[in-house]
Amino acid sequence: MDKIAALRFSGLTNSSKKEVFKQITIDLTPDEAQNLERYCEQTGQAVTNVIEELIRGLSVT
């Protein structure tokens, strides 16, 4: 499964004050991809939204 998540970094702006996006590609094992797809189907969420939510939940100490 090749899924690309475009993440919005609202704290970053360029000189024209537009939002900056950083695109990342993640490699998943077949089992990981299947688990993610199953989770998305069960919750009705998009893959990108699930990944963004998980990243927002990360805390830096």
Side-chain angles (χ1 to χ4, degrees), residues 19-58:
E19 289 184 277
V20 175
F21 290 84
K22 177 159 183 143
Q23 191 170 19
I24 62 170
T25 302
I26 58 172
D27 295 321
L28 301 174
T29 66
D31 286 342
E32 292 168 335
Q34 186 177 35
N35 286 340
L36 180 58
E37 288 177 348
R38 190 177 307 126
Y39 179 84
C40 290
E41 288 173 8
Q42 290 175 353
T43 62
Q45 297 183 69
V47 169
T48 300
N49 293 345
V50 170
I51 294 170
E52 287 173 343
E53 186 177 314
L54 290 169
I55 292 171
R56 283 188 209 105
L58 298 174

